Amino acid sequence: MTILMIRPVQFAYNAQTAVNNVFQRQGIEDTVVVQDSAVREFDAFVAKLRDNDIDVLVVPDTPMPHTPDSIFPNNWISFHHDGSVVLYPMFAANRRLERKQSVLHAIERVFLIHRRIDYTKHEAEGKFLEGTGSFVLDRKNGIAYACRSPRTDESLFLEFCRQFNFKPVVFDAVDEKGRAIYHTNVLMCIADSYAVINLESIVESDRLSVMKTLNESGKSIIAINQAQMIDFAGNMLQVENKQGKSFLVMSSRAFHSLQLAQVRKLESFDPIIHSPLDTIEQYGGGSARCMMAEVYLPVNSNDQQQ
């Protein structure tokens, strides 16, 4: 596994996404301070991943066009074992500009792409599906989970599942104020043998069926609550390093929101890597998982990557 990460050049609060991302909070710092802080957090996070021998491909963002949320690439692109690259329709107009050729060229220098599937035409219809933010994949068991939201069109999700042979699990989930949760990956994380999930957020009519699917697929459930979700405890990702060793990656804010029993349970499965992402979380409304796009493409045998 390789992790694609985009190093920001003009990270900032994005008013276009804030309309339905309640995790964002606008601060008082000026844009230079926010950008500098985000870069420091980004670089420290990448260093921790690489210290654990996790393969990270860092691509620098470009100043133009301005893409304040480019640090979250998993929303607009995904990469699959069969050599497929999928491009997704984005809710915010300025996030559509993140689909930059510089990122695709960096991928193509290292990996083989056999086909591209492009859903972006649906933006003109007001239909959106924001990648592995909108849905969470259980690749081991061929199951995809998605909560309905303005950013997750159910028909597009079902189309994706048909094309990639995933069993769809669709449900409604809300925060403490009854608002639809904008991305599935802030409320749940699926690992090989366990799942971290905010069951409280899933509406009662859907909760049992989601739990049933998790149980039948052999997942141990580590439940988090609404407050922990707001602290990004659902926004985790299991990753493998170059030796095939697994880790669970999250932000320090997420880690410190967990109870000791939850930490011990998670560490019984995988070592935890956490890094401070406070600025990125506050202004961007996303956390560690959102910053990492997993690349499962076959490697180009001619690649001379350092």
Side-chain angles (χ1 to χ4, degrees):
M1 173 193 290
T2 295
I3 300 298
L4 168 69
M5 298 181 68
I6 308 298
R7 191 173 191 265
V9 295
Q10 294 186 68
F11 176 81
Y13 177 84
N14 186 352
Q16 291 188 26
T17 57
V19 296
N20 53 28
N21 180 349
V22 300
F23 292 78
Q24 286 178 253
R25 301 190 314 280
Q26 189 167 18
I28 60 173
E29 295 86 356
D30 66 33
T31 55
V32 174
V33 171
V34 171
Q35 162 64 15
D36 289 348
S37 180
V39 168
R40 286 194 297 272
E41 292 175 1
F42 178 92
D43 289 344
F45 185 25
V46 170
K48 281 195 176 182
L49 295 174
R50 287 176 169 166
D51 285 346
N52 287 279
D53 210 21
I54 295 165
D55 187 27
V56 183
L57 174 61
V58 174
V59 179
D61 192 17
T62 56
M64 296 298 294
H66 178 210
T67 47
D69 283 321
S70 62
I71 203 168
F72 305 130
N74 78 308
N75 298 142
W76 68 267
I77 193 166
S78 67
F79 310 94
H80 302 267
H81 288 100
D82 66 353
S84 296
V85 171
V86 186
L87 302 177
Y88 296 96
M90 303 292 290
F91 171 82
N94 62 4
R95 292 214 64 189
R96 301 167 194 173
L97 304 174
E98 295 172 30
R99 300 188 290 254
K100 297 179 180 180
Q101 286 302 311
S102 57
V103 178
L104 292 169
H105 289 160
I107 291 292
E108 289 172 329
R109 283 194 292 269
V110 185
F111 300 97
L112 295 174
I113 297 175
H114 297 313
R115 67 169 178 166
R116 294 189 189 187
I117 297 174
D118 190 342
Y119 295 137
T120 62
K121 66 181 181 181
H122 295 288
E123 289 168 347
E125 307 163 13
K127 292 182 177 181
F128 311 110
L129 185 70
E130 297 192 336
T132 53
S134 281
F135 53 80
V136 174
L137 298 178
D138 178 355
R139 295 176 187 264
K140 178 180 177 182
N141 293 293
I143 304 170
Y145 297 83
C147 65
R148 300 176 185 91
S149 82
R151 302 200 195 182
T152 303
D153 181 84
E154 184 173 354
S155 64
L156 287 183
F157 172 63
L158 295 177
E159 182 179 343
F160 168 86
C161 290
R162 284 192 295 270
Q163 286 194 279
F164 285 90
N165 198 30
F166 281 96
K167 173 189 172 183
V169 178
V170 188
F171 56 93
D172 290 307
V174 296
D175 65 15
E176 288 183 319
K177 295 184 178 179
R179 298 168 296 195
I181 294 173
Y182 83 110
H183 275 166
T184 310
N185 77 358
V186 297
L187 72 92
M188 68 186 302
C189 160
I190 300 292
D192 53 2
S193 56
Y194 60 97
V196 181
I197 182 168
N198 178 11
L199 293 170
E200 292 180 1
S201 69
I202 300 175
V203 299
E204 190 172 355
S205 57
D206 293 333
R207 191 176 303 148
L208 286 178
S209 63
V210 173
M211 292 178 64
K212 183 173 183 287
T213 303
L214 290 169
N215 287 325
E216 289 178 347
S217 59
K219 306 297 183 190
S220 294
I221 296 177
I222 295 94
I224 59 172
N225 59 33
Q226 294 278 34
Q228 290 173 318
M229 180 189 71
I230 293 297
D231 282 334
F232 295 100
N235 199 240
M236 306 173 176
L237 183 66
Q238 184 186 49
V239 305
E240 286 187 358
N241 69 5
K242 296 174 184 177
Q243 286 72 45
K245 180 179 180 180
S246 294
F247 298 85
L248 184 62
V249 181
M250 66 189 74
S251 73
S252 294
R253 178 180 171 186
F255 178 80
H256 292 302
S257 78
L258 298 173
Q259 299 171 358
L260 180 58
Q262 293 171 313
V263 172
R264 287 177 173 168
K265 182 68 172 177
L266 292 171
E267 289 181 333
S268 73
F269 295 105
D270 291 316
I272 292 173
I273 298 171
H274 66 89
S275 192
L277 301 172
D278 297 344
T279 299
I280 293 167
E281 290 172 329
Q282 175 182 340
Y283 287 88
S287 188
R289 193 277 169 268
C290 303
M291 296 170 64
M292 299 181 287
E294 315 106 285
V295 183
Y296 292 103
L297 299 172
V299 175
N300 185 344
S301 59
N302 297 321
D303 170 53
Q304 300 298 319
Q305 181 189 19
Q306 298 299 314

